[in-house]
Amino acid sequence: MSADLRLILFDVDGTLADSQNAIASAMVSTFEGLGLEVPAHGDILSIVGLSLPLAMDQLAPSQSAEVRYQLVEGYKRAYMDKRLAQGAGHSPLFPGASEVLAELHAVPEYLLGVATGKSQRGLDALIAAHGLGCFVTKQVADHHPSKPHPSMVLTAMAETGVEPANAVMIGDTSFDIDMGRAAGVRTIAVDWGYHPAADLGADHIISRFDQLTPLLQQIWKT
């Protein structure tokens, strides 16, 4: 009898990729470009994981809908320009990320995927920059309601035919963990991201990527 398929979903920014400087820099350029006061650094980092429209609603609540739209479009341009200029160095992977992805990808019953607030274009560029050809399902902000709505996780499970008991969501923010919980899957918080892991209410916490594979084996008793 073959083993059940297992779905391992990763957030990207703050979980796999260290994009803090890239995001903050693009946000500063965007607000300055429109002559607006730049939000505090902590406020900028607090919205990582949300879709851009929701992020701008939080960062510029007193601005008109038109200005917030301009902020969204300006951020997309600024982020892309910096990514094209810097290549793979734009959003480096956290230590151990590529190794654990390769390790998990080698397990026949493990299916890897992403559920990210990034755009399709942004995710494709990051995957190309780092040679990450291991993801069988890729859920992005273009096609879903913003996290923490469970749409991304539910769609990933539908695409792969994996039941909630055989799926996990790995992330660094409340948006990731709340999304996973809403979809009925186990949640794993990483403690190197944007929100304090101990505050997220995740089922498990890891502080290094090399802790992930043993944890998954424990969860699924494999």
Side-chain angles (χ1 to χ4, degrees), residues 23-60:
I23 291 170
S25 176
M27 199 66 77
V28 169
S29 297
T30 302
F31 274 79
E32 287 181 344
L34 289 177
L36 300 176
E37 182 179 354
V38 176
H41 187 69
D43 291 339
I44 291 174
L45 298 186
S46 74
I47 56 80
V48 175
L50 293 176
S51 67
L52 279 174
L54 277 185
M56 294 310 181
D57 287 348
Q58 289 198 18
L59 292 176

Side-chain angles (χ1 to χ4, degrees), residues 6-80:
R6 316 290 195 179
L7 176 61
I8 305 165
L9 289 172
F10 293 89
D11 167 59
V12 175
D13 292 321
T15 301
L16 291 175
D18 186 1
S19 48
Q20 177 175 157
N21 291 335
I23 291 170
S25 176
M27 199 66 77
V28 169
S29 297
T30 302
F31 274 79
E32 287 181 344
L34 289 177
L36 300 176
E37 182 179 354
V38 176
H41 187 69
D43 291 339
I44 291 174
L45 298 186
S46 74
I47 56 80
V48 175
L50 293 176
S51 67
L52 279 174
L54 277 185
M56 294 310 181
D57 287 348
Q58 289 198 18
L59 292 176
S62 63
Q63 300 297 328
S64 67
E66 173 60 27
V67 170
R68 294 198 300 274
Y69 173 79
Q70 292 177 16
L71 286 169
V72 168
E73 295 304 308
Y75 178 86
K76 290 178 181 177
R77 289 192 300 272
Y79 195 89
M80 183 177 69

Side-chain angles (χ1 to χ4, degrees), residues 102-197:
E103 181 180 14
L104 295 174
H105 186 52
V107 179
E109 63 268 26
Y110 284 177
L111 303 177
L112 306 186
V114 293
T116 176
K118 299 180 83 67
S119 66
Q120 186 74 63
R121 181 174 65 182
L123 177 63
D124 289 346
L126 183 134
I127 286 174
H130 295 291
L132 301 178
C134 56
F135 300 119
V136 300
T137 181
K138 293 173 278 191
Q139 308 303 323
V140 297
D142 305 45
H143 312 307
H144 296 279
S146 180
K147 299 175 183 181
H149 192 286
S151 175
M152 291 188 191
V153 178
L154 295 174
T155 302
M157 288 192 291
E159 285 185 359
T160 56
V162 174
E163 296 296 318
N166 291 328
V168 296
M169 178 66 210
I170 303 163
D172 67 298
T173 70
S174 61
F175 314 124
D176 303 319
I177 302 308
D178 290 348
M179 175 178 65
R181 187 181 300 109
V185 307
R186 286 185 180 88
T187 55
I188 301 172
V190 303
D191 74 355
W192 53 79
Y194 294 107
H195 293 178

